[in-house]
Amino acid sequence: METGSSSGNFKLHDRLELLEYDDRLVVKSLESPGEGFSICRRQGNIAPLSEASSSGKPSKTSTIYGVAGTIRLLAGTYVLVITSRKEVGSFLGFPVFRVESMKFLACNEALKFSNSQEKRDEAYFMTLLKTVETTPGLYYSYETDITVNLQRRFKLMEGWMSKPFWQQVDPRFVWNRHLLEELIEYKLDRFIIPLLQGSFQVAQLKLKNSPATFTLLSRRCTRRLGTRMWRRGANLEGDTANFIETEQLLEFEGFRCSSLQIRGSIPLLWEQIVDLSYKPRLRIINHEQTPQIVERHFNDLFQRYGEIIALDLTDKHGDEGQLSASYAAEMQKLPNVRYVSFDFHHVCGSSNFDNLQILYDQISEEYEKQGYFLIDTDGRILEEQKGIIRSNCIDCLDRTNVTQNYFAQKTLNIQLQRLGVYTSNETISMFPEDYLKFRTLWAEQGDEISLEYAGTHALKGDLVRYGKQTVAGLIKDGMSALSRYYMNNFHDGIRQDALDLVSGRYTVSKSNPSPFQLNSFESFSYLPVASALVIGGLTLTTFSIQQAGRNAQHYVTSFVLAGMTAGVMALVRTNGRQFCSRPRLCRLL
């Protein structure tokens, strides 16, 4: 099957006109003005485009670049539209765009008839929608589906690629799947844009003056979507947090090579609840279904990818060590999966990136047997990837990025030698210009994936970008670590609620309890008071000590103030979880 062909008549509309009226929104194609739909601003109902729906003078007219979906809240419907985009490269010859900005348009006239509690709840939901509008790393194409990897595209039955995009996709990787339901119901096929969250990076390599296109595409799974501290481990179905499929694609003189790696949180039930400490304690949740959860996870991977090598990069002491030991114990029950424990921090430290060769030597024979996907200029399959490496650390970010980059480099060398570009003794590291592009793409991909999960750039980026740690990199890592601490403790509860809302994990209904009833403790109302007391106490104590030499009474005052400040600090520390931003809408599992 030729994957370079466009999807028939189902090329999506790429420029739309948005007409805003008092009672309706009208969306129509600029290329085909007769194609479009309207949405009632009172009931939120969708209707086909008609002369009546386009009549009258709109209060505002603008150009948008897609409708990402709709969501129904208590008082009506909200429509998510793409207001700006950027072309970032091409996938198999078709342009790929990144969402630069989005906006929810309200169709909530019923809000004026809501009671005070409903208005309060709707205001909170609208705050979550504002958070959704700033979602990073969303990609799409108007001409081809980008959620399905190259090997799977060639395995699909003839005619599959001529279906509407929403029927072609791998549903695991459609970020707005829940938001598209109403558009699908009304058969608005050419307006339905599946958005992929992850990373899309492209570079042109010289390869000894033989140009090639190098693409790095990461696809984030939506089955256990969430933020770093509020989505850990697996759910009862075996879906894991921060599960990402990364495809490395090389296009050279008509040949196409694809290789896949995956990452995902340790597939046990475990949590790490924020409590104001820098590194909260890990807690393994003992559950009678744990063996079945692990088995479900790996059975699903085996069906999709073939033989699996599971690389566990966690520490072998402390909380991480206990989690790793529990994981290893469960993996002994799965004879068809090769489990490899590799203490990244112990072996590689902070800068010995080349020590990953020790890991590679352990699994090189099996890894190279897994192979990669290769097709020639006529679309004939020359090689197939028969298995996959699944990597994890705790976050599946920093250590995992470095390790995946190392294995990706090994695979690229094998592919270039297979194509005759390099001799058996040559590697990409011998060609500085191409090597820099390769490492830069992997570093930028790591940053983007980290931004989506942890809210900051990746740590250890220097190891990927330069192969060593630099002073500037250490400073950047320190700033990112502090930013993670702030995001995880004081912002991610709201981010998690936004993700649960947009993914459909939480459904808004008047029969559901108010989010404020689900979590009655107002963490943010207490945190500023506690912070002010601590800062004020420290300031007054310092001032009193400075004045103590002039008046002995100041010694007593200083002692009292210091005691009060210490008491407040102890109270905050003991009840740290209560002072952090917590999700309101859903349970962790």
Side-chain angles (χ1 to χ4, degrees):
M1 184 177 73
E2 177 55 59
T3 62
S5 59
S6 183
S7 298
N9 296 325
F10 290 104
K11 177 180 180 296
L12 302 179
H13 294 302
D14 60 353
R15 293 178 72 245
L16 307 175
E17 185 176 39
L18 172 65
L19 307 173
E20 299 182 44
Y21 298 88
D22 291 338
D23 62 342
R24 65 193 183 279
L25 299 175
V26 175
V27 176
K28 57 184 180 180
S29 168
L30 285 171
E31 294 176 341
S32 307
E35 295 187 38
F37 59 95
S38 64
I39 302 177
C40 173
R41 301 195 86 158
R42 291 188 175 87
Q43 287 83 32
N45 298 329
I46 296 176
L49 198 63
S50 65
E51 289 187 15
S53 61
S54 296
S55 63
K57 184 177 180 179
S59 59
K60 183 179 179 181
T61 302
S62 56
T63 299
I64 59 174
Y65 302 97
V67 178
T70 64
I71 187 168
R72 287 186 180 269
L73 301 182
L74 291 172
T77 296
Y78 296 78
V79 185
L80 182 59
V81 299
I82 299 170
T83 53
S84 66
R85 67 187 182 188
K86 180 180 180 180
E87 186 172 345
V88 292
S90 63
F91 182 68
L92 305 176
F94 300 113
V96 173
F97 296 85
R98 182 176 63 228
V99 175
E100 294 291 283
S101 63
M102 304 184 291
K103 183 179 181 181
F104 275 101
L105 303 174
C107 301
N108 62 349
E109 291 294 312
L111 185 62
K112 62 182 72 172
F113 305 110
S114 302
N115 61 40
S116 59
Q117 184 61 59
E118 289 172 344
K119 288 180 179 178
R120 186 187 184 201
D121 291 349
E122 191 80 353
Y124 181 67
F125 293 136
M126 290 171 68
T127 298
L128 301 183
L129 296 187
K130 286 291 183 184
T131 300
V132 172
E133 290 176 350
T134 61
T135 302
L138 297 178
Y139 296 89
Y140 66 97
S141 174
Y142 297 104
E143 301 182 51
T144 195
D145 167 48
I146 62 173
T147 66
V148 177
N149 62 64
L150 185 63
Q151 179 163 316
R152 188 178 172 209
R153 288 168 77 102
F154 269 77
K155 298 291 184 180
L156 295 173
M157 59 184 171
E158 199 69 38
W160 183 269
M161 303 303 290
S162 63
K163 292 184 176 183
F165 281 7
W166 64 269
Q167 292 182 336
Q168 297 179 28
V169 297
D170 186 332
R172 295 178 300 161
F173 302 130
V174 180
W175 175 84
N176 58 332
R177 181 176 57 171
H178 174 66
L179 301 180
L180 293 175
E181 290 178 355
E182 285 200 75
L183 299 182
I184 291 172
E185 180 182 345
Y186 285 92
K187 297 181 172 59
L188 298 168
D189 291 343
R190 295 188 67 188
F191 294 89
I192 299 172
I193 298 181
L195 296 178
L196 167 81
Q197 188 180 38
S199 180
F200 185 88
Q201 310 286 337
V202 182
Q204 301 301 318
L205 305 182
K206 289 188 175 180
L207 298 183
K208 295 182 174 180
N209 297 318
S210 299
T213 301
F214 180 78
T215 305
L216 196 59
L217 175 54
S218 288
R219 305 173 174 101
R220 177 180 297 280
C221 182
T222 61
R223 288 179 174 176
R224 188 157 167 74
L225 198 61
T227 60
R228 177 174 174 246
M229 290 298 189
W230 294 110
R231 282 295 175 272
R232 294 296 209 186
N235 58 19
L236 295 177
E237 288 73 39
D239 304 315
T240 60
N242 203 26
F243 183 90
I244 295 170
E245 175 190 276
T246 296
E247 181 172 21
Q248 182 172 279
L249 182 65
L250 178 71
E251 298 173 86
F252 172 74
E253 295 185 349
F255 289 85
R256 288 172 176 166
C257 301
S258 166
S259 60
L260 299 173
Q261 295 188 65
I262 53 176
R263 70 177 77 189
S265 191
I266 290 177
L268 306 178
L269 302 181
W270 61 281
E271 63 183 14
Q272 191 176 19
I273 305 300
V274 290
D275 59 3
L276 296 183
S277 63
Y278 180 73
K279 194 172 183 179
R281 296 294 303 271
L282 301 176
R283 186 177 78 90
I284 302 170
I285 301 171
N286 295 318
H287 196 286
E288 61 182 8
Q289 288 194 41
T290 292
Q292 290 75 30
I293 291 168
V294 177
E295 186 176 8
R296 285 180 202 126
H297 177 74
F298 281 100
N299 282 346
D300 179 63
L301 297 185
F302 179 79
Q303 291 173 10
R304 296 178 185 278
Y305 301 107
E307 299 293 334
I308 303 154
I309 301 173
L311 300 184
D312 180 11
L313 305 171
T314 55
D315 297 346
K316 298 305 171 272
H317 59 273
D319 286 358
E320 284 194 25
Q322 293 178 26
L323 182 60
S324 179
S326 297
Y327 183 27
E330 294 299 333
M331 294 303 290
Q332 289 180 359
K333 304 171 187 176
L334 299 178
N336 296 325
V337 180
R338 170 84 189 273
Y339 170 78
V340 180
S341 179
F342 182 80
D343 190 330
F344 183 99
H345 284 149
H346 177 71
V347 179
C348 298
S350 61
S351 59
N352 297 318
F353 180 48
D354 291 337
N355 283 357
L356 281 170
Q357 183 66 41
I358 298 170
L359 172 61
Y360 185 78
D361 290 340
Q362 289 184 46
I363 63 171
S364 59
E365 184 176 349
E366 291 172 82
Y367 176 62
E368 291 174 16
K369 281 182 180 178
Q370 288 183 350
Y372 53 89
F373 186 68
L374 172 63
I375 56 174
D376 65 13
T377 55
D378 297 320
R380 291 176 299 190
I381 298 175
L382 305 181
E383 303 275 357
E384 290 189 52
Q385 185 168 343
K386 306 177 186 66
I388 201 162
I389 282 188
R390 181 202 189 278
S391 303
N392 74 265
C393 45
I394 290 296
D395 299 327
C396 302
L397 294 176
D398 312 319
R399 287 170 278 183
T400 299
N401 288 335
V402 175
T403 304
Q404 286 198 338
N405 165 256
Y406 191 86
F407 280 90
Q409 184 176 326
K410 294 287 188 181
T411 299
L412 183 59
N413 288 333
I414 293 170
Q415 292 170 340
L416 292 173
Q417 291 167 6
R418 168 73 168 79
L419 294 172
V421 179
Y422 290 165
T423 66
S424 59
N425 296 322
E426 290 179 325
T427 64
I428 192 171
S429 62
M430 298 177 181
F431 302 89
E433 188 174 343
D434 285 343
Y435 192 35
L436 178 61
K437 290 179 180 178
F438 169 82
R439 291 181 303 182
T440 299
L441 259 61
W442 270 95
E444 291 178 352
Q445 179 242 202
D447 280 342
E448 195 161 17
I449 287 173
S450 179
L451 194 64
E452 294 157 11
Y453 186 52
T456 73
H457 287 165
L459 309 184
K460 297 181 174 66
D462 275 4
L463 290 179
V464 176
R465 198 180 299 268
Y466 306 116
K468 62 181 180 180
Q469 194 82 62
T470 66
V471 174
L474 286 170
I475 295 172
K476 180 182 176 183
D477 283 356
M479 296 299 294
S480 292
L482 290 174
S483 296
R484 279 188 187 180
Y485 174 84
Y486 172 79
M487 292 289 293
N488 297 161
N489 281 277
F490 306 123
H491 187 66
D492 277 357
I494 290 175
R495 278 213 307 152
Q496 185 62 56
D497 277 349
L499 291 171
D500 287 336
L501 182 65
V502 78
S503 65
R505 192 165 184 267
Y506 176 86
T507 303
V508 176
S509 170
K510 291 187 177 182
S511 61
N512 287 340
S514 164
F516 297 96
Q517 294 172 354
L518 293 173
N519 184 358
S520 59
F521 190 90
E522 297 284 349
S523 60
F524 269 91
S525 66
Y526 287 90
L527 184 61
V529 175
S531 300
L533 287 173
V534 170
I535 294 171
L538 289 172
T539 302
L540 290 173
T541 300
T542 302
F543 179 77
S544 294
I545 291 173
Q546 290 174 344
Q547 300 295 316
R550 302 177 186 176
N551 188 337
Q553 186 178 353
H554 282 292
Y555 282 113
V556 178
T557 305
S558 299
F559 181 79
V560 172
L561 288 172
M564 292 174 60
T565 303
V568 173
M569 292 176 68
L571 177 66
V572 172
R573 180 67 186 87
T574 303
N575 299 278
R577 289 191 178 190
Q578 304 304 323
F579 288 95
C580 295
S581 172
R582 301 173 62 85
R584 296 179 182 276
L585 302 184
C586 296
R587 296 173 57 193
L588 294 185
L589 294 181

